[in-house]
Amino acid sequence: MKAMNGILVNEVVTTPKQVVEIENLSIGFEKEKVLDDLSLKLFNGENLVVLGQSGSGKSVLIKCIVRLLAPDAGTIKVFGENVNELSRNGLAELRKKIGFLFQSGALYDSMTIRENLEFPLKRIRKELTKREINEKVEEALGNVGLADTSDKMPSQLSGGMRKRVSLARTVVVDPLIMLYDEPTTGLDPLTSDEISELINEVKKKYKTSSLIITHDIECARATADRIIMLQNGEVYLEGKLEDFEKSPDVFIKSFFK
Amino acid sequence: MTQQKNRIIGPVLRNIVKIRDVRKNAEKLGERTFEQAQIANVFLSGIADFYLFMWRTTREAFSRDFEFREFFRQCYLIGYKTVPLISVTGLIIGLVLTIQLRPALADFGAVSMLPGMVAQSIIREMGPVITGLICAGRVGSGMGAELGSMKVSEQIDAMEVSSTNPMRFLVVTRVLAATLMIPILVLYADALGILGSWAGANIKGDVTFVLFFSQAFSAIDFLDLFPAIIKTFFFGAAIGFVGCYKGYTAGRGTESVGKAANSAVVLSSLLVIIIDLVAVQITDML
Ligand SMILES: Nc1ncnc2c1ncn2[C@@H]1O[C@H](COP(=O)(O)OP(=O)(O)O)[C@@H](O)[C@H]1O
Ligand SMILES: [Mg+2]
């Protein structure tokens, strides 16, 4: 019995569990297909980078995962649960485990930085006391190096600072899965590197599995455990960073020049 | 021979040309009908959409977690945005009405009726409609622009994924705040209008404050005040619903924020006038 248990445990360790499983996903707007029969898996504890040109449907893909958009066909399973068959409460529960960093940051304009971070905390982690909330907010802002901005409004911060605050707001509720929508787009190279570093830190610190959507090769190089390239709504190539760097394919080369 | 042929073919050719013309016209007509039908279709589905939006908002309003803080914040903002504007407008309307009415009443030797008449017209019509229109411009456009930009910059999506129902947090609070605050603002505008009227009456002639007000209020009875207040609740709801609907359903580009704000003002002003018309008809029947 013990031995069997031992084997079982071993198996769990050697075959990484998939946390997100997308099968044959298709979605389009006004007859125009954006994603066509797309399948991919995100495994526990990895950073998966999805590369693609702008307009290739990357944002649509991750919005489907949290059901901000509903696909025309295909299934999406997160922690084994089919996202599109969940009840309202089930969906709310599932969303609590997923952190979503929006392309535009999506900080609430009418709230201070502190209130921005408290907003999801108060709603997702209802069990926390006021003091614990305060501590968590301070800590999350400290982690992105912006502890002194907590009483400012989002409009008073630079683009890079807003992205960092947005990242803090996303991780402050301790999500298990992180979805990053173009975390480094529109930032200067130095700030981009900082954000990439923060993404790696989040993974180390919170043991999250992350899906990173980007067209920024430097960000992909810095963060990827595995890369998927999208083209025409389908998976064009999947592999490790080296596979992409060495690929003779012209399209891939044009990305990794 | 050829002449004969021409005599036969000529009319036939001419007829063919005519037939072609008819077909062209028919096609054009068809296209136009189709266009019209599409416009009608867009219009009707817009109305259906709006009803659905109102229904969803109403349903959310009766759910357990009501966002009190956001509601009070919205009440405060609506007052804060409009009070200065409404104060000035109310005072001036009362003043101007009095100055304009005085000569007409003087011709009949009925200047003593001045306070009562002005008070009636302010409370029944001028106060509610002018406040309604100002709020449609200030509050309606504000909601359209705010929610529109929240939609475009994914803030509404962000709320949704952090386990907050944006309909409940953003829309329900705003609609209720507008429904509650606009009647209060109307009463405030009424009071300032009558104050302005007293000032106007004092430009020529000399009326004491107490006398003026007792004359003004003795002319007003329950049936003046009650329907006028009821309709302002509808003004408020219309402004709230339209402003939120236009913002919430804004398109994806930045330019749709401006469009949302603009069409919120146009539609809510129009609705204020229409509701006023309906309200007048109903009170007339009472
Ligand atoms: N909600 C939507 N309604 C209509 N079209 C959309 C919507 N979201 C995305 N699209 C369209 O889908 C395509 C892919 O968009 P997106 O996923 O944002 O691209 P990207 O890869 O740059 O993130 C674009 O052509 C866009 O216009
Ligand atoms: Mg995108």
Side-chain angles (χ1 to χ4, degrees), chain B residues 144 147-149 151-152 244-253 256-257 260:
Chain B
L147 295 200
S149 77
K151 170 94 179 191
V152 170
C244 290
Y245 173 73
K246 287 293 175 188
Y248 206 83
T249 54
R252 282 161 24 87
S256 50
V257 178

Side-chain angles (χ1 to χ4, degrees), chain A residues 63 66-68 88 92 95-96 98 100 102-111 115 119-120 122-124 169 181, chain B residues 59-60 65 67 69-70 73 146 149-150 152-165 168-169 174 252:
Chain A
K63 281 183 181 169
V66 286
R67 209 167 104 187
L68 284 171
R88 211 168 140 167
R95 278 173 173 171
K96 288 178 183 174
I98 304 176
F100 198 127
F102 286 89
Q103 189 166 346
S104 55
L107 292 179
Y108 306 126
D109 295 326
S110 58
M111 304 181 195
E115 287 166 338
F119 189 89
K122 281 182 179 163
R123 282 145 206 279
I124 293 178
R169 185 182 70 178
D181 193 351
Chain B
R59 212 183 41 195
E60 292 297 342
D65 324 285
E67 305 278 354
R69 260 195 70 184
E70 179 69 6
R73 201 175 77 90
E146 191 191 5
S149 77
M150 288 187 80
V152 170
S153 62
E154 301 177 307
Q155 291 174 49
I156 292 183
D157 284 345
M159 261 182 202
E160 195 151 346
V161 296
S162 52
S163 290
T164 305
N165 185 330
R168 204 177 293 164
F169 185 82
R174 279 167 177 73
R252 282 161 24 87

Side-chain angles (χ1 to χ4, degrees), chain A residues 29 34 53-60 182, chain B residues 252:
Chain A
F29 301 97
V34 174
Q53 292 166 293
S54 45
S56 59
K58 304 183 299 294
S59 301
V60 169
E182 307 206 4
Chain B
R252 282 161 24 87

Side-chain angles (χ1 to χ4, degrees), chain A residues 23-41:
Chain A
E23 275 177 350
N24 312 107
L25 177 71
S26 295
I27 182 170
F29 301 97
E30 284 137 28
K31 289 177 199 157
E32 203 180 323
K33 266 237 153 39
V34 174
L35 296 177
D36 192 8
D37 211 19
L38 178 87
S39 302
L40 66 82
K41 284 175 186 163

Side-chain angles (χ1 to χ4, degrees), chain A:
Chain A
M1 210 49 196
K2 266 224 159 124
M4 262 183 75
N5 267 344
I7 291 165
L8 273 177
V9 169
N10 253 338
E11 255 178 10
V12 170
V13 172
T14 47
T15 55
K17 245 175 61 188
Q18 61 232 24
V19 287
V20 178
E21 189 177 7
I22 298 175
E23 275 177 350
N24 312 107
L25 177 71
S26 295
I27 182 170
F29 301 97
E30 284 137 28
K31 289 177 199 157
E32 203 180 323
K33 266 237 153 39
V34 174
L35 296 177
D36 192 8
D37 211 19
L38 178 87
S39 302
L40 66 82
K41 284 175 186 163
L42 173 67
F43 294 106
N44 199 2
E46 74 168 340
N47 275 354
L48 172 63
V49 168
V50 174
L51 279 175
Q53 292 166 293
S54 45
S56 59
K58 304 183 299 294
S59 301
V60 169
L61 169 69
I62 50 173
K63 281 183 181 169
C64 283
I65 296 177
V66 286
R67 209 167 104 187
L68 284 171
L69 292 170
D72 298 332
T75 55
I76 299 170
K77 284 186 182 159
V78 181
F79 297 119
E81 289 182 283
N82 188 335
V83 174
N84 289 296
E85 285 170 2
L86 284 172
S87 67
R88 211 168 140 167
N89 284 339
L91 184 65
E93 283 307 310
L94 185 66
R95 278 173 173 171
K96 288 178 183 174
K97 299 178 196 153
I98 304 176
F100 198 127
L101 182 71
F102 286 89
Q103 189 166 346
S104 55
L107 292 179
Y108 306 126
D109 295 326
S110 58
M111 304 181 195
T112 64
I113 300 305
R114 173 186 299 280
E115 287 166 338
N116 258 288
L117 267 76
E118 282 174 354
F119 189 89
L121 255 185
K122 281 182 179 163
R123 282 145 206 279
I124 293 178
R125 304 285 300 273
K126 286 187 175 137
E127 76 280 3
L128 294 180
T129 63
K130 211 165 190 153
R131 239 191 65 213
E132 285 170 318
I133 287 182
N134 263 338
E135 276 166 14
K136 281 196 84 88
V137 169
E138 299 291 335
E139 189 200 327
L141 281 177
N143 282 345
V144 295
L146 290 171
D148 51 341
T149 61
S150 61
D151 292 319
K152 291 199 170 140
M153 299 304 278
S155 56
Q156 291 170 290
L157 303 185
S158 70
M161 287 159 105
R162 276 209 293 272
K163 263 277 163 56
R164 269 145 65 191
V165 170
S166 189
L167 182 57
R169 185 182 70 178
T170 314
V171 297
V172 77
V173 292
D174 304 325
L176 301 173
I177 300 174
M178 283 292 295
L179 306 174
Y180 297 92
D181 193 351
E182 307 206 4
T184 57
T185 303
L187 302 177
D188 59 277
L190 253 151
T191 319
S192 294
D193 290 347
E194 279 173 24
I195 298 279
S196 300
E197 234 165 77
L198 281 174
I199 292 173
N200 284 333
E201 267 173 40
V202 165
K203 179 192 165 193
K204 239 187 265 160
K205 208 163 179 173
Y206 301 94
K207 307 263 181 304
T208 52
S209 329
S210 311
L211 191 62
I212 301 152
I213 301 285
T214 189
H215 59 221
D216 175 12
I217 292 305
E218 290 314 316
C219 174
R221 284 202 175 105
T223 58
D225 295 322
R226 198 158 61 91
I227 300 179
I228 285 178
M229 174 78 104
L230 285 189
Q231 168 76 339
N232 294 330
E234 294 168 328
V235 175
Y236 189 78
L237 181 67
E238 178 175 352
K240 301 255 177 221
L241 181 61
E242 303 90 71
D243 305 334
F244 279 81
E245 304 270 24
K246 280 189 233 141
S247 168
D249 188 289
V250 185
F251 177 63
I252 305 273
K253 266 191 170 160
S254 70
F255 252 83
F256 280 81
K257 61 175 174 274

